[in-house]
Amino acid sequence: QVQLVESGGGSVQAGGSLTLSCAASGNSWSRYYCMGWFLQAPGKEREGVATIVGDKIISYSDSVKGRFIISKDNAKNTLHLQMGSLKPEDSGMYYCVADSCSWCTDGWCYGSGGELADKYRGHGTQVTVS
């Protein structure tokens, strides 16, 4: 099993910054998993935000490119998302995901059959930008 626990959400004014973290654990955890963040806003479809494979293969959705930075601390099994120049449309629940994958693009990772690589997911952390 794999457990993902997000933290760092909160309320911030537009233009502000937040850093989210996701701590991974469990006997099935692998540092080689593709990891990422997605946003679920009320009444909207979930939106891929950012992904990272290894330490250098990174993708972002167009909506956050240039404002958010995803990174991973393999020694601590922790994923981070530095969020800057926040906008009200960035509000919602942010979830950390992890899975094996074949490729990542535009903030999502996919398996070999084109399915979303999101086998493991945390409970989310709320971000509110006003």
Side-chain angles (χ1 to χ4, degrees):
Q1 277 289 13
V2 171
Q3 291 80 44
L4 301 174
V5 180
E6 302 94 337
S7 62
S11 297
V12 64
Q13 290 188 337
S17 302
L18 279 175
T19 296
L20 307 184
S21 297
C22 170
S25 64
N27 55 17
S28 298
W29 173 250
S30 168
R31 60 176 290 182
Y32 300 106
Y33 276 144
C34 307
M35 298 190 74
W37 296 90
F38 74 84
L39 166 64
Q40 181 71 68
K44 296 184 179 179
E45 291 188 2
R46 60 177 181 167
E47 174 187 356
V49 174
T51 64
I52 185 167
V53 182
D55 295 325
K56 296 184 179 180
I57 302 175
I58 290 172
S59 80
Y60 296 100
S61 67
D62 287 342
S63 62
V64 307
K65 205 171 292 183
R67 300 188 297 120
F68 291 10
I69 299 174
I70 189 171
S71 62
K72 191 167 62 164
D73 184 339
N74 287 318
K76 297 181 179 180
N77 290 338
T78 302
L79 180 71
H80 300 288
L81 184 69
Q82 296 173 259
M83 310 165 68
S85 301
L86 283 162
K87 305 175 182 179
E89 51 263 43
D90 296 322
S91 298
M93 192 71 80
Y94 282 78
Y95 294 89
C96 170
V97 294
D99 198 354
S100 301
C101 77
S102 293
W103 80 91
C104 302
T105 185
D106 297 329
W108 284 116
C109 290
Y110 300 87
S112 58
E115 70 280 10
L116 283 175
D118 61 352
K119 180 177 181 180
Y120 302 110
R121 186 179 81 173
H123 291 293
T125 185
Q126 177 71 35
V127 172
T128 303
V129 185
S130 59

